[in-house]
Amino acid sequence: MELKSNTPNGPLTEQWDDYRAHLKLVNPANKRKYNVIVVGTGLAGASAAATLAELGYNVSAFTYHDSARRAHSIAAQGGINAAKNYQNDGDSIFRLFYDTIKGGDFRARESNVYRLAQVSTSIIDQCVAQGVPFAREYGGYLSNRSFGGAQVSRTFYARGQTGQQLLIGAYQALMRQVGLGKVKLHNKQEMMDLIVVDGHARGIVSRDMVTGKIESFMADAVVLATGGYGNVFYLSTNAKNCNVTATYRAHKRGALFANPCYTQIHPTCIPQSGDYQSKLTLMSESLRNDGRIWVPLKKGDTRPPDQIPEAERDYYLERKYPSFGNLSPRDIASRAAKEACDDGRGVGPSGLGVYLDFADAISRLGKDVIADRYGNLFEMYERITGEDPYSVPMRIYPAVHYTMGGLWVDYDLMSNVPGLFVLGEANFSDHGANRLGASALMQGLADGYFVIPYTLGGYFAGGKLDSVSSDAPEAKAAVREAEEKVKLMLSINGKRSPTSFHRELGAIMWDKCGMSRNEKGLTEALTRIPELREFWKNVVIPGSGAELNQSLELGLRVADFLEFGELMCYDALHRNESCGGHFREEYQTEDGEAKRNDDEFCYAAAWEYTGVGSKPTLHKEPLEFENVQLATRSYK
């Protein structure tokens, strides 16, 4: 299978403008004839649904939440990047493009990343017009702060609740279209399958999570904006409901899954406190602007932090990466924390923690300034840990956060299945092997507000689509398969809960395919994960399928994680190099940094589903770098 990126010809800086100038259009009267399904109502989904409806398309939006406002985008804290150069510190579209390519360890497609940098500036204008309350300087100008992997201040923020404020803006735009009748919002609905007719995505199968009714919904195109798969590890910073089901079911219908082994470990999370925990809590990367990260120089030093003098502290990021210091990229900062803890210098009860210390910043700027910048984050930390970060350092440790892999898409954000578009974290396109902080919100809104309105229109204008209905054989078959899967799961009546299987899978994934991987561990994982197919003989789901049944919801999602975990390990095992968040222990420099192999692995790995228990088929999209030079990443 040849993977065509469909990148426009011409200079990189002109491709997006040239693309739009020569795009085939659908006239306003004809837009009313097209129906679009959008699955997911986070930043990417809500902005896409609102914008497409504003253009005149008939949109059906699906969310498993009771309100679109509960999407996990609301949890983002630190900010959103944009190349506005308000600080007059040397930022530009090209610099944001370069930082993103470099931050992703040269494993992303140049054309998509440059477009992202281009439209980033428009996102801020759009959100300000919607009333998003970004922080401002004394004179009224929008404020910026720094984030990891950059030497300029380009991150716009609303204290520590940027995602919430941005989602409210997208939500109000969505609900305006709901009120006008252009968007039909389906709450408490979970996508169970993709319907493919004559090779084109033409609808979905969805289950009403309250009544249990399973039915098909048909359209002319399907847009997936369903987020990432970090919960395959069980413990992550993701909300508990986040899952891989929508994208994985599309994968089983023919959509290629690209780079699934690229998962991001976030360096500033509250350490796990016990086996009882069901998720982890993220502390915003923005804290690294003013907090200094350190561990004791001496192994096994259990003194309270205020009793460890400066001379006996190791500010290891400042020591190892002086040019970027505490704002080193996430993958590098995470591995450095693990290295310090593995050396016996970790802090806290478990020894799996490092200090994030604000004493210097409070002394220099005053407590009020720090409270103004991070007050709600400090309050959240104190509520969870019982410790006051104004007076004692925070304790942090890396945890699974964002996933860079996703369904393969071309320049139009369309998968290899025509008519299936994939936005935001659900696709693989922009972040390579490591996402820079504050770029997730940027990509979600870029895709929804400024990319999909053009590319979807180009798809519709490119050829006539025959009308299809729920009576199509493909739709009936997909509904029947979903009903049979639910019936089978309810009939097993075994002895183990879905959560017990999920915990076991998560432990395998974290140990063998987590912050670092090696051939031996990945091979073991590919032996142990199939053993968890005992799930289909021993899981117990109480209740019925004709009511609100959260155990059933979880069971269906865990079943997909059990299969998807294998795909991740296959991808990690085949990639004999280290890059970004994919750190293979066999491939590292003398300094312990990631060692890429550009000669053999400079490509996107897109996997084709071949059946449960079968090794997937690999397809490659070569990555060409004409505007940046392939180089070993250095933040020193």
PDB file of all heavy atoms in Angstrom, residues 144 375 414 597 609:
ATOM      1  N   ASN A 144       2.375  36.247  27.708  1.00  0.00           N
ATOM      2  CA  ASN A 144       2.947  34.968  27.269  1.00  0.00           C
ATOM      3  C   ASN A 144       3.902  34.445  28.326  1.00  0.00           C
ATOM      4  O   ASN A 144       4.519  35.210  29.054  1.00  0.00           O
ATOM      5  CB  ASN A 144       3.737  35.117  25.964  1.00  0.00           C
ATOM      6  CG  ASN A 144       2.849  35.423  24.784  1.00  0.00           C
ATOM      7  OD1 ASN A 144       2.891  36.510  24.219  1.00  0.00           O
ATOM      8  ND2 ASN A 144       2.025  34.474  24.399  1.00  0.00           N
ATOM      9  N   GLY A 375      -1.925  30.042  41.169  1.00  0.00           N
ATOM     10  CA  GLY A 375      -2.667  29.844  42.415  1.00  0.00           C
ATOM     11  C   GLY A 375      -3.548  28.615  42.428  1.00  0.00           C
ATOM     12  O   GLY A 375      -3.549  27.839  43.398  1.00  0.00           O
ATOM     13  N   MET A 414      -7.252  13.350   6.186  1.00  0.00           N
ATOM     14  CA  MET A 414      -8.083  12.195   5.851  1.00  0.00           C
ATOM     15  C   MET A 414      -7.258  10.930   5.958  1.00  0.00           C
ATOM     16  O   MET A 414      -6.110  10.881   5.517  1.00  0.00           O
ATOM     17  CB  MET A 414      -8.671  12.331   4.445  1.00  0.00           C
ATOM     18  CG  MET A 414      -9.681  11.227   4.100  1.00  0.00           C
ATOM     19  SD  MET A 414     -10.699  11.599   2.651  1.00  0.00           S
ATOM     20  CE  MET A 414      -9.465  11.476   1.347  1.00  0.00           C
ATOM     21  N   ASN A 597      18.197   6.520  14.302  1.00  0.00           N
ATOM     22  CA  ASN A 597      18.793   5.848  13.144  1.00  0.00           C
ATOM     23  C   ASN A 597      18.056   6.349  11.910  1.00  0.00           C
ATOM     24  O   ASN A 597      17.086   5.739  11.448  1.00  0.00           O
ATOM     25  CB  ASN A 597      18.670   4.322  13.277  1.00  0.00           C
ATOM     26  CG  ASN A 597      19.312   3.575  12.126  1.00  0.00           C
ATOM     27  OD1 ASN A 597      19.672   4.169  11.114  1.00  0.00           O
ATOM     28  ND2 ASN A 597      19.436   2.267  12.268  1.00  0.00           N
ATOM     29  N   TYR A 609      -4.393  -3.626  10.157  1.00  0.00           N
ATOM     30  CA  TYR A 609      -4.991  -4.690  10.980  1.00  0.00           C
ATOM     31  C   TYR A 609      -5.117  -5.975  10.166  1.00  0.00           C
ATOM     32  O   TYR A 609      -5.581  -5.961   9.031  1.00  0.00           O
ATOM     33  CB  TYR A 609      -6.362  -4.244  11.476  1.00  0.00           C
ATOM     34  CG  TYR A 609      -7.096  -5.267  12.309  1.00  0.00           C
ATOM     35  CD1 TYR A 609      -6.721  -5.513  13.629  1.00  0.00           C
ATOM     36  CD2 TYR A 609      -8.180  -5.976  11.781  1.00  0.00           C
ATOM     37  CE1 TYR A 609      -7.402  -6.437  14.402  1.00  0.00           C
ATOM     38  CE2 TYR A 609      -8.869  -6.900  12.549  1.00  0.00           C
ATOM     39  CZ  TYR A 609      -8.472  -7.134  13.856  1.00  0.00           C
ATOM     40  OH  TYR A 609      -9.160  -8.045  14.623  1.00  0.00           O
TER      41      TYR A 609
END
